[in-house]
Amino acid sequence: AEVAAFLKRHRIKVWGTDVPHPIKSFEMLCKEHGFQPFVLRNLTKFGFAQPTPIQMQAVPVAIHRRDLIANAPTGSGKTLAFLLSILHQVHSEEKQGFRAVVVSPTRELATQIYNHLQNLTTGRRVRVCLMTKASAAQQAQDPALRQKFDILVTTPLRLVHAIQSGEADLAHVRTLVLDEADNLMEAGFLEQVDEILAACTAPGLQISLFSATMPSNVEQMAKTIMKDPVRIIVGTQNT
Ligand code: ADP
Ligand code: MG
């Protein structure tokens, strides 16, 4: 009942089986969810004092490795919502090349996500690769160098090209985030998304979709690629 009141107060609606409880503060990430202190330090350093509603509910769901469809308005902090669980994941794993991939429809958005991640990993050896058309030459050319990355931030067309050319190996990826997912699940990008999913061959792949809105036909389609997903909607939603 207390959780229900908390969710209502923050206009969080959630559906699914055994949904993990929301976090009330970023401190809870360290106290109850085993996050390393550097995460809290960097959140404070970059001015993130309190989680936004989407972060409160999406972060615990993602760290329990549940598939997730999350909708919250533009500007509500969806980026940090999916980056926090990725940081938790890559720190507790053996280094094996790309283990988390964030796909974003445009180079500009991918670059913003990359910059956000650079801030959050300040002082840490978490290796993030930004792979877009413009960044291709600088970062991802040398296969030996690529092996050393943990997290990949990219766009659909660039990633499919990298898969086809053997430039990106997604065999160890355990987390796939589609940002602006309503856009990525549209006709223009569906083929690329299919190809990306097919390249993520490791067992137990976790898939998260984040966007401001989600048309119901897209939601239906998304559910066909997911296992027992949790559905989160923050604020009012017209689909
Ligand atoms: P969305 O993807 O939902 O449109 P963003 O992730 O781009 O939103 O975040 C919008 C802005 O809010 C960014 O400037 C981001 O740094 C800021 N922000 C995100 N989370 C928090 C927080 N917990 N506290 C303060 N500012 C935040
Ligand atoms: Mg966003």
Side-chain angles (χ1 to χ4, degrees):
E2 194 208 327
V3 170
F6 179 85
L7 293 174
K8 192 168 181 200
R9 188 158 68 248
H10 293 284
R11 304 180 73 207
I12 303 166
K13 296 196 197 94
V14 61
W15 296 263
T17 55
D18 299 320
V19 178
H21 286 175
I23 53 161
K24 294 177 180 167
S25 67
F26 286 133
E27 285 76 20
M28 276 178 79
L29 295 176
C30 296
K31 282 188 194 139
E32 294 183 20
H33 296 288
F35 274 66
Q36 301 210 330
F38 86 88
V39 177
L40 198 56
R41 230 168 20 238
N42 285 338
L43 285 172
T44 306
K45 178 172 176 176
F46 290 96
F48 304 112
Q50 278 296 319
T52 64
I54 189 63
Q55 292 160 9
M56 289 169 173
Q57 184 59 76
V59 174
V61 167
I63 61 186
H64 282 88
R65 305 211 44 80
R66 296 287 300 275
D67 283 351
L68 172 61
I69 305 175
N71 296 141
T74 301
S76 63
K78 292 187 289 293
T79 315
L80 186 58
F82 58 74
L83 291 182
L84 281 172
S85 72
I86 289 178
L87 284 184
H88 182 261
Q89 175 209 339
V90 296
H91 251 273
S92 59
E93 283 178 351
E94 196 185 324
K95 302 214 179 292
Q96 285 184 307
F98 297 134
R99 276 121 58 224
V101 175
V102 179
V103 182
S104 169
T106 69
R107 183 195 306 176
E108 289 70 26
L109 287 168
T111 306
Q112 282 175 26
I113 295 165
Y114 173 80
N115 291 337
H116 209 328
L117 204 38
Q118 292 292 91
N119 288 346
L120 289 172
T121 56
T122 299
R124 280 289 141 157
R125 286 179 48 82
V126 177
R127 293 137 329 157
V128 186
C129 177
L130 175 65
M131 194 188 275
T132 67
K133 219 173 195 171
S135 67
Q138 305 140 24
Q139 268 210 325
Q141 227 56 296
D142 175 9
L145 194 67
R146 272 197 311 277
Q147 265 307 309
K148 298 210 178 98
F149 288 112
D150 303 306
I151 303 167
L152 174 61
V153 182
T154 185
T155 54
L157 287 166
R158 182 67 186 88
L159 180 52
V160 165
H161 176 79
I163 292 167
Q164 288 172 349
S165 66
E167 190 190 331
D169 177 6
L170 305 190
H172 297 287
V173 170
R174 296 188 63 232
T175 302
L176 176 65
V177 175
L178 304 184
D179 191 27
E180 308 270 329
D182 51 351
N183 188 341
L184 290 180
M185 301 296 277
E186 268 171 22
F189 280 132
L190 256 190
E191 225 174 286
Q192 279 84 35
V193 169
D194 275 344
E195 198 149 341
I196 293 162
L197 279 167
C200 296
T201 51
L205 176 71
Q206 179 201 15
I207 302 168
S208 302
L209 308 188
F210 281 82
S211 55
T213 60
M214 171 102 356
S216 57
N217 62 321
V218 176
E219 182 182 344
Q220 290 315 313
M221 182 170 42
K223 282 179 173 164
T224 65
I225 60 167
M226 296 185 153
K227 215 172 62 192
D228 191 21
V230 174
R231 182 83 175 88
I232 302 171
I233 297 179
V234 170
T236 47
Q237 184 79 13
N238 41 341
T239 50

